[in-house]
Amino acid sequence: MEFLFARVNLNSRAVTYSGFGSLLMEYLGGRGLGVRILIKEIEPTTPALSPENKLIFATTPLLGTGAPSFVKYSVVTKSPLTGTILMSLAGGFFGSALRKAGLDGLIIEGKSPAPVFLWIHDGQVEIRDASQLWGMRVSDTVAGIRRLVDQPKAQVAAVGPAGERGVRYASIISDDSAAGRGGAGTVMGAKNLKAIAALGRKRLPVARPGDFAKARQALARQFLSNEGVVAFGKYGTPGNVRIVNARGVFPTMNYHQGTFEGAERIDGTKLVEMPHERFGCYGCPIRCRKKVSLESGPYAGTGYSAPEYETLWAFGADCGNDNLEAIIAANQLCSELGLDTISTGNAIAFAMQLFELGQLKEADTDGLRLQFGNQAAIVSLVEHIGMRRGFGRLLGEGVRRAAEALGHDAERFAMHVKGMEISGYAPRAAKGMALGYATSPRGACHERAFLPQEAFGAPPHVDPRTEEGKGAMVKARQDEVAVLDSLGFCVLAGKGARLADLLPLWNGVTGFDQSEADLLAAGEHICNLERVFNLKAGFSASDDTLPEHFLVDPLPDGPARGEVVDLSRLITDYYAARGWGPDGVPTAATLKRLHLDEAAVARSGFTPHNDENKNADCADSTD
């Protein structure tokens, strides 16, 4: 399998083509392949918004084949929000369209002197003028590009005004799906790249068609016969709101509490009571996504994207808001402006807490009364952030930078890890999630180590409030998710399939004969490669931490009342499970076992942990 990438230099407008098929067995595709390419292409110390940073779109051999729930493409770059490596995934139809247009990925480098978009068809890349599109919201951009290329079915991944104007957590939007976290859209906007459009009819290669077809049909039947998957199709991720709230894992009012009194007014059952249409990503039978209509009120309109769980939490419980219509309106604004809903809602909740404490006044907030629960202020502030207007300009820098600018003790209320705003699961009530936040390679991210046993009570039983065993558990889950991301499989469909169920599809499409153990070894390899990038970028064990709030302030409510996080125990166990030294650096033996030694030390600035020099290790860990 050739697995063809186009390298697009936006400075010179040169386009060249290279195959990466030889790397698929080791890196699989998607996230893993994108990370491998990035660490070979740039110095990890490269400024994220400089032309030298690169933006990589990586699909997988399963994308576009009709394999159920293999819908995710990855965008890999260096994050302007955190300075870490960034891998952000999106579903929908764009990734499949890119492959059918003749390309499996893109390496975008440099910066165009003027706004452009890429038009990809028949295996060719055209760089076209986008000056008339610059400043447009996402839906207008998509419509405009389809007119310009005279293809109403072209699939488009675009940035909105937030990406153009440098909001540090701007997203890339395709089919109402976002490569959302960490600012991939900011990097794309900094390159003056407004959008990428793709369309084609290429027949995608399948090495063993008979085996593949059999495996595809088996997985589809498995999904449709699973009651949990069928229910997930009806309610989607919003169906988790009541469950998470009942378990005391639903952060409320900037993480002050673990339960929200208004949870039942913003959950999935309320969404399905609204006029709505279900739809899904390419080739996925679950169809968990929805378009909703608001028939009256200040936010009335049709065809709004229904918010996912994280968005319901971010503009709902975290902001003390139980008005579902306002949450839908805020979500729609984020889709149009190109904003990450998690970071946006988290930033607003941060500002609301400071306002209630008297550290911010209306004179500071463009006249907005930022009290918890003020739905109109939430929607207005989303607009201000996306347009980088007034107080929104400060919040668009992310809570870490905003707190530094505001001074006093604002940092105590900035809920982030490595600069990335924390998402919608309370770490004091779920210790594995706490560890996952602290050690995620891109900053506070629930998806890299999500433990459904903690959040949902899924079998097998795990006590969410204990630290015991969570180091090995989080390490194993991170490795598995790295595999799923690299295969392009939607983790939301994970309740209906195990990795062993996906393996026949992978081997069928590639012609490989890999085992489940082979894939998990690849996942561990990918996680360690991401760690190496971050170490070279200047991160250390001291950055694997959580806000002090979670370490010293007991949770005041819910089943986990009184809990704090014993992070040092969690980190010690996790590093040991990973084969890292006490300084958080992979040992030479670990790198050798994972065949990472050559890749890891290929550039200067990284030294493996020396198991024999204990004193040096202790000194390094305090840097």
Side-chain angles (χ1 to χ4, degrees), residues 47-68:
L49 296 179
S50 71
E52 288 72 34
N53 191 14
K54 300 192 180 183
L55 188 66
I56 297 163
F57 285 71
T59 70
T60 88
L62 285 158
L63 206 61
T65 62

mmCIF file of all heavy atoms in Angstrom, residues 47-68:
data_model
loop_
_atom_site.group_PDB
_atom_site.id
_atom_site.type_symbol
_atom_site.label_atom_id
_atom_site.label_comp_id
_atom_site.label_asym_id
_atom_site.label_seq_id
_atom_site.Cartn_x
_atom_site.Cartn_y
_atom_site.Cartn_z
ATOM 1 N N PRO A 47 8.642 27.536 17.411
ATOM 2 C CA PRO A 47 7.435 28.273 17.828
ATOM 3 C C PRO A 47 6.214 27.789 17.054
ATOM 4 O O PRO A 47 6.257 27.641 15.828
ATOM 5 C CB PRO A 47 7.779 29.724 17.502
ATOM 6 C CG PRO A 47 9.271 29.779 17.510
ATOM 7 C CD PRO A 47 9.723 28.456 16.970
ATOM 8 N N ALA A 48 5.127 27.559 17.774
ATOM 9 C CA ALA A 48 3.959 26.928 17.157
ATOM 10 C C ALA A 48 3.341 27.762 16.040
ATOM 11 O O ALA A 48 2.792 27.209 15.081
ATOM 12 C CB ALA A 48 2.914 26.631 18.233
ATOM 13 N N LEU A 49 3.420 29.082 16.145
ATOM 14 C CA LEU A 49 2.774 29.934 15.146
ATOM 15 C C LEU A 49 3.762 30.466 14.112
ATOM 16 O O LEU A 49 3.421 31.359 13.332
ATOM 17 C CB LEU A 49 2.038 31.089 15.836
ATOM 18 C CG LEU A 49 0.869 30.637 16.729
ATOM 19 C CD1 LEU A 49 0.208 31.838 17.399
ATOM 20 C CD2 LEU A 49 -0.150 29.841 15.928
ATOM 21 N N SER A 50 4.942 29.889 14.070
ATOM 22 C CA SER A 50 5.912 30.289 13.052
ATOM 23 C C SER A 50 5.679 29.502 11.768
ATOM 24 O O SER A 50 5.094 28.407 11.796
ATOM 25 C CB SER A 50 7.337 30.034 13.551
ATOM 26 O OG SER A 50 7.600 28.632 13.598
ATOM 27 N N PRO A 51 6.135 30.004 10.638
ATOM 28 C CA PRO A 51 6.000 29.245 9.383
ATOM 29 C C PRO A 51 6.716 27.898 9.425
ATOM 30 O O PRO A 51 6.380 26.997 8.658
ATOM 31 C CB PRO A 51 6.644 30.175 8.345
ATOM 32 C CG PRO A 51 6.531 31.553 8.930
ATOM 33 C CD PRO A 51 6.693 31.353 10.408
ATOM 34 N N GLU A 52 7.702 27.755 10.340
ATOM 35 C CA GLU A 52 8.472 26.507 10.403
ATOM 36 C C GLU A 52 7.669 25.359 11.020
ATOM 37 O O GLU A 52 8.000 24.196 10.821
ATOM 38 C CB GLU A 52 9.760 26.730 11.203
ATOM 39 C CG GLU A 52 10.807 27.573 10.479
ATOM 40 C CD GLU A 52 10.426 29.042 10.391
ATOM 41 O OE1 GLU A 52 9.788 29.551 11.330
ATOM 42 O OE2 GLU A 52 10.752 29.684 9.353
ATOM 43 N N ASN A 53 6.634 25.678 11.789
ATOM 44 C CA ASN A 53 5.779 24.608 12.299
ATOM 45 C C ASN A 53 5.012 23.997 11.126
ATOM 46 O O ASN A 53 4.716 24.685 10.137
ATOM 47 C CB ASN A 53 4.791 25.145 13.335
ATOM 48 C CG ASN A 53 4.059 24.039 14.085
ATOM 49 O OD1 ASN A 53 4.438 22.873 14.046
ATOM 50 N ND2 ASN A 53 2.990 24.411 14.777
ATOM 51 N N LYS A 54 4.698 22.731 11.214
ATOM 52 C CA LYS A 54 3.995 22.057 10.122
ATOM 53 C C LYS A 54 2.655 21.536 10.600
ATOM 54 O O LYS A 54 2.442 21.267 11.792
ATOM 55 C CB LYS A 54 4.856 20.934 9.541
ATOM 56 C CG LYS A 54 6.169 21.480 8.994
ATOM 57 C CD LYS A 54 6.950 20.498 8.156
ATOM 58 C CE LYS A 54 8.248 21.165 7.666
ATOM 59 N NZ LYS A 54 9.030 20.285 6.776
ATOM 60 N N LEU A 55 1.750 21.437 9.659
ATOM 61 C CA LEU A 55 0.384 21.003 9.917
ATOM 62 C C LEU A 55 0.146 19.743 9.097
ATOM 63 O O LEU A 55 0.204 19.773 7.872
ATOM 64 C CB LEU A 55 -0.587 22.109 9.512
ATOM 65 C CG LEU A 55 -2.063 21.946 9.860
ATOM 66 C CD1 LEU A 55 -2.269 21.983 11.369
ATOM 67 C CD2 LEU A 55 -2.882 23.044 9.193
ATOM 68 N N ILE A 56 -0.094 18.636 9.798
ATOM 69 C CA ILE A 56 -0.188 17.342 9.126
ATOM 70 C C ILE A 56 -1.609 16.801 9.247
ATOM 71 O O ILE A 56 -2.152 16.700 10.355
ATOM 72 C CB ILE A 56 0.812 16.346 9.740
ATOM 73 C CG1 ILE A 56 2.242 16.858 9.523
ATOM 74 C CG2 ILE A 56 0.642 14.953 9.139
ATOM 75 C CD1 ILE A 56 3.268 16.197 10.407
ATOM 76 N N PHE A 57 -2.202 16.486 8.118
ATOM 77 C CA PHE A 57 -3.488 15.793 8.065
ATOM 78 C C PHE A 57 -3.190 14.344 7.703
ATOM 79 O O PHE A 57 -2.605 14.069 6.653
ATOM 80 C CB PHE A 57 -4.403 16.407 7.013
ATOM 81 C CG PHE A 57 -5.014 17.730 7.394
ATOM 82 C CD1 PHE A 57 -4.241 18.882 7.465
ATOM 83 C CD2 PHE A 57 -6.370 17.833 7.676
ATOM 84 C CE1 PHE A 57 -4.804 20.109 7.805
ATOM 85 C CE2 PHE A 57 -6.937 19.042 8.023
ATOM 86 C CZ PHE A 57 -6.156 20.188 8.086
ATOM 87 N N ALA A 58 -3.598 13.424 8.576
ATOM 88 C CA ALA A 58 -3.278 12.018 8.352
ATOM 89 C C ALA A 58 -4.543 11.174 8.473
ATOM 90 O O ALA A 58 -5.217 11.189 9.510
ATOM 91 C CB ALA A 58 -2.231 11.531 9.360
ATOM 92 N N THR A 59 -4.863 10.441 7.420
ATOM 93 C CA THR A 59 -5.979 9.508 7.456
ATOM 94 C C THR A 59 -5.439 8.120 7.802
ATOM 95 O O THR A 59 -4.293 7.980 8.230
ATOM 96 C CB THR A 59 -6.724 9.473 6.120
ATOM 97 O OG1 THR A 59 -5.897 8.845 5.124
ATOM 98 C CG2 THR A 59 -7.101 10.884 5.663
ATOM 99 N N THR A 60 -6.264 7.106 7.599
ATOM 100 C CA THR A 60 -5.850 5.733 7.870
ATOM 101 C C THR A 60 -6.310 4.839 6.722
ATOM 102 O O THR A 60 -7.230 5.207 5.976
ATOM 103 C CB THR A 60 -6.444 5.204 9.187
ATOM 104 O OG1 THR A 60 -7.735 4.628 8.931
ATOM 105 C CG2 THR A 60 -6.601 6.307 10.210
ATOM 106 N N PRO A 61 -5.716 3.653 6.570
ATOM 107 C CA PRO A 61 -6.143 2.750 5.498
ATOM 108 C C PRO A 61 -7.602 2.314 5.595
ATOM 109 O O PRO A 61 -8.182 1.857 4.600
ATOM 110 C CB PRO A 61 -5.208 1.550 5.657
ATOM 111 C CG PRO A 61 -3.973 2.112 6.283
ATOM 112 C CD PRO A 61 -4.491 3.151 7.234
ATOM 113 N N LEU A 62 -8.222 2.458 6.763
ATOM 114 C CA LEU A 62 -9.611 2.034 6.931
ATOM 115 C C LEU A 62 -10.617 3.146 6.658
ATOM 116 O O LEU A 62 -11.807 2.884 6.459
ATOM 117 C CB LEU A 62 -9.819 1.497 8.351
ATOM 118 C CG LEU A 62 -9.238 0.100 8.581
ATOM 119 C CD1 LEU A 62 -8.996 -0.149 10.061
ATOM 120 C CD2 LEU A 62 -10.158 -0.957 7.996
ATOM 121 N N LEU A 63 -10.150 4.382 6.630
ATOM 122 C CA LEU A 63 -11.050 5.513 6.419
ATOM 123 C C LEU A 63 -11.596 5.488 4.997
ATOM 124 O O LEU A 63 -10.849 5.311 4.034
ATOM 125 C CB LEU A 63 -10.282 6.814 6.674
ATOM 126 C CG LEU A 63 -11.094 8.040 7.098
ATOM 127 C CD1 LEU A 63 -11.811 7.791 8.401
ATOM 128 C CD2 LEU A 63 -10.164 9.237 7.252
ATOM 129 N N GLY A 64 -12.901 5.646 4.868
ATOM 130 C CA GLY A 64 -13.526 5.688 3.548
ATOM 131 C C GLY A 64 -13.873 4.341 2.964
ATOM 132 O O GLY A 64 -14.431 4.269 1.866
ATOM 133 N N THR A 65 -13.555 3.261 3.695
ATOM 134 C CA THR A 65 -13.817 1.914 3.173
ATOM 135 C C THR A 65 -15.203 1.411 3.545
ATOM 136 O O THR A 65 -15.621 0.345 3.083
ATOM 137 C CB THR A 65 -12.791 0.914 3.731
ATOM 138 O OG1 THR A 65 -12.925 0.853 5.162
ATOM 139 C CG2 THR A 65 -11.373 1.318 3.354
ATOM 140 N N GLY A 66 -15.907 2.142 4.391
ATOM 141 C CA GLY A 66 -17.191 1.674 4.884
ATOM 142 C C GLY A 66 -17.082 0.823 6.125
ATOM 143 O O GLY A 66 -18.101 0.328 6.619
ATOM 144 N N ALA A 67 -15.881 0.630 6.651
ATOM 145 C CA ALA A 67 -15.719 -0.081 7.910
ATOM 146 C C ALA A 67 -16.422 0.707 9.014
ATOM 147 O O ALA A 67 -16.147 1.888 9.193
ATOM 148 C CB ALA A 67 -14.241 -0.252 8.239
ATOM 149 N N PRO A 68 -17.352 0.090 9.748
ATOM 150 C CA PRO A 68 -18.187 0.831 10.697
ATOM 151 C C PRO A 68 -17.386 1.582 11.749
ATOM 152 O O PRO A 68 -16.521 1.018 12.418
ATOM 153 C CB PRO A 68 -19.038 -0.271 11.352
ATOM 154 C CG PRO A 68 -19.043 -1.387 10.377
ATOM 155 C CD PRO A 68 -17.696 -1.343 9.711
#
